[in-house]
Amino acid sequence: MKIAIIGAGWAGMSAAVTATQAGHTAIILEASQAIGGRARALKGILPNGETVLLDNGQHILIGAYTDTLELMQTVGVDPRIALFSQPMALLFPDGQGLQFPDWPTPLDALASILGARGWSMADKASLLRVALGWQLKRFQCAPLETVATLCKNCSPRVMAELIEPLCVSALNTPSARASAQVFLRVMQDALFGVQGGSRLLLPRLDLSELFPSAAARWVTQRGGRIRLGVRVSTVQPLGAQWQIEGEVFDAVIIATSSSESARILTRRAEAAPESIAFNIQAWADTADRLTFESITTVYAWAAQATLPHPMLALRSHEASPSQATMPAQFVFDRGQLGGPPGLLAFVVSASTGDRETLQAQVLNQAHAQLGLSLQAIQTVVEKRATFACTPGLQRPASLIAPGLFACGDYVTGPYPATLEGAVRSGIAAALACLRSEFDPARSE
């Protein structure tokens, strides 16, 4: 098959690798001049004039990201070299918090709870009771339940120092609005399911080289093609095939953002045959109803700045009842992750406010909690970083019409908007596309 993949982000490149593995030809069409989508490299300049590679938002992976890790290896990226691996740790600058031992799952999680620094026995008991309840219910809950309701029996300290940071980092949605069912799926895989699933995997490479650029080289070496600077305006059915800008393909996988995918399809739905017009428009309408959360990453530098660990949790609510005054939940020492010494990355999940205000607040937070006077290097605000992962959310399906598919971290699946969610959706779309080749109904 000759398959068009629109978009060269993590989802699109995962689809391209999967299709290529099956012996088909992937043609990737990317509107920008860069590969990687919302998880890609960008350039920054330090005060001394040194050029550094940053990321369009600091990301982490965990051991439960099995499909991502497998595809990285497929395209020649060795996770043991590309990722700094350590047991899960949610430690604060004062040394309090959770530190997982290097034990089998789920003993590591149990030991970390029992040994949590700064927690009372009542705090620990509240979390153990709640976690036991998750297991007894097989990590299932009511469809409309929120994370805040799911964890209402946890102590205030556990909520502030564990549940809320985990929720906003995994779902990028505050616990009061976040889907409990999606949260439970992440907790099941990370803490209780996959062996080694809780391990923190911090990138040593920029996000482009971590997978999408390597995937692009791997695909082109096997006959695929990548065309940058190509903005697709619409896709057009042509019998059992599809046409894009005059070129005919056996199938199309749209791997752009939900809003861009809806734009492409809405223009086509008006002129599509009646047999598929309704499905195309319904898909586009579902994608258009998604709402979004922002993520802000503040890169800051000081000559001697360093952290005791590559990643630390920060207290967002400290010193004020308003989270906005100290907004960052995590900070990363890029100097310990292959970057220049003194460079730190502060992450504000579910961020609100303008760039300048957030940057100033984060610098103040760094001084108050880390004792560091830093100079801002670059602040990246991704206003539509992820969909709002709310209870009962209807996400668009992978199948749009016969021979026409979609992938992206927003497409229906068990995971929230994460790198693993994007990768899994790309694999699923490619496999569904390949199965359709042998489906007699496809040509009806």
Side-chain angles (χ1 to χ4, degrees):
M1 297 176 71
K2 179 183 176 185
I3 303 171
I5 298 172
I6 306 172
W10 283 61
M13 295 314 301
S14 299
V17 171
T18 304
T20 303
Q21 283 179 306
H24 302 281
T25 302
I27 311 296
I28 301 112
L29 310 173
E30 168 58 46
S32 74
Q33 295 295 332
I35 292 172
R38 285 174 286 122
R40 66 183 186 277
L42 52 84
K43 290 183 178 180
I45 301 177
L46 298 181
N48 62 7
E50 179 185 354
T51 299
V52 294
L53 274 180
L54 307 175
D55 291 311
N56 193 45
Q58 175 71 47
H59 287 67
I60 66 171
L61 293 82
I62 59 174
Y65 287 7
T66 51
D67 286 337
T68 301
L69 296 172
E70 183 176 342
L71 277 196
M72 286 172 59
Q73 293 181 77
T74 296
V75 300
V77 177
D78 187 344
R80 295 170 299 179
I81 298 173
L83 299 167
F84 177 91
S85 175
Q86 68 171 52
M88 173 70 73
L90 288 174
L91 294 174
F92 293 89
D94 59 9
Q96 296 188 352
L98 280 78
Q99 174 73 62
F100 282 45
D102 197 3
W103 292 1
T105 302
L107 295 178
D108 55 351
L110 177 61
S112 72
I113 294 171
L114 294 175
R117 303 170 193 169
W119 287 16
S120 68
M121 286 304 299
D123 293 327
K124 299 172 184 178
S126 72
L127 178 56
L128 289 172
R129 284 193 298 269
V130 169
L132 179 61
W134 298 346
Q135 290 182 296
L136 292 175
K137 293 181 180 179
R138 298 176 181 269
F139 293 91
Q140 298 295 316
C141 67
L144 299 182
E145 191 168 4
T146 66
V147 172
T149 303
L150 177 76
C151 303
K152 64 182 178 182
N153 291 325
C154 288
S155 72
R157 183 154 204 160
V158 171
M159 285 297 299
E161 295 189 0
L162 179 66
I163 300 300
E164 192 66 45
L166 284 178
C167 182
V168 296
S169 64
L171 277 66
N172 196 36
T173 307
S175 63
R177 296 190 285 107
S179 166
Q181 187 56 69
V182 176
F183 180 78
L184 282 175
R185 174 56 188 267
V186 175
M187 292 301 100
Q188 180 182 20
D189 286 359
L191 303 183
F192 302 98
V194 178
Q195 281 300 321
S198 65
R199 291 191 71 85
L200 282 175
L201 306 175
L202 308 180
R204 286 192 174 111
L205 304 178
D206 66 76
L207 290 176
S208 293
E209 281 300 323
L210 193 61
F211 172 68
S213 292
R217 292 191 293 269
W218 188 90
V219 168
T220 54
Q221 288 167 2
R222 288 157 178 79
R225 282 170 282 171
I226 298 180
R227 301 172 186 169
L228 300 178
V230 177
R231 179 172 291 278
V232 174
S233 58
T234 188
V235 294
Q236 181 176 346
L238 192 66
Q241 296 176 304
W242 292 85
Q243 187 174 13
I244 300 176
E245 310 299 335
E247 187 172 1
V248 177
F249 297 90
D250 297 302
V252 175
I253 299 174
I254 303 180
T256 58
S257 67
S258 60
S259 56
E260 178 65 9
S261 300
R263 181 194 68 80
I264 293 172
L265 292 172
T266 297
R267 296 185 63 178
R268 173 43 40 203
E270 298 170 356
E274 186 176 349
S275 59
I276 61 173
F278 176 81
N279 289 342
I280 292 176
Q281 189 60 57
W283 191 99
D285 291 343
T286 301
D288 265 338
R289 285 193 291 269
L290 296 175
T291 57
F292 298 89
E293 302 278 1
S294 298
I295 297 179
T296 297
T297 304
V298 178
Y299 292 99
W301 180 88
Q304 305 301 321
T306 187
L307 302 177
H309 304 282
M311 184 188 88
L312 287 177
L314 297 173
R315 290 187 170 89
S316 296
H317 295 271
E318 188 172 294
S320 170
S322 172
Q323 180 178 353
T325 57
M326 290 193 178
Q329 296 96 1
F330 296 95
V331 57
F332 298 81
D333 188 340
R334 301 275 292 202
Q336 297 185 48
L337 299 170
L343 181 62
L344 305 181
F346 295 81
V347 177
V348 186
S349 296
S351 61
T352 58
D354 61 87
R355 183 192 311 270
E356 291 74 18
T357 300
L358 284 166
Q359 179 175 288
Q361 290 171 343
V362 166
L363 295 179
N364 289 335
Q365 185 178 7
H367 188 268
Q369 296 189 21
L370 300 173
L372 295 174
S373 295
L374 301 172
Q375 179 178 346
I377 300 301
Q378 191 159 334
T379 296
V380 180
V381 180
E382 189 72 48
K383 290 189 175 295
R384 297 167 68 89
T386 69
F387 64 88
C389 193
T390 52
L393 177 68
Q394 183 180 3
R395 294 157 65 174
S398 176
L399 174 64
I400 303 171
L404 182 62
F405 303 85
C407 63
D409 58 15
Y410 64 91
V411 171
T412 296
Y415 267 61
T418 57
L419 295 177
E420 178 75 355
V423 167
R424 290 190 180 196
S425 76
I427 294 171
L431 293 178
C433 173
L434 302 180
R435 285 194 299 269
S436 73
E437 177 189 12
F438 306 103
D439 183 3
R442 183 173 181 269
S443 58
E444 289 180 359

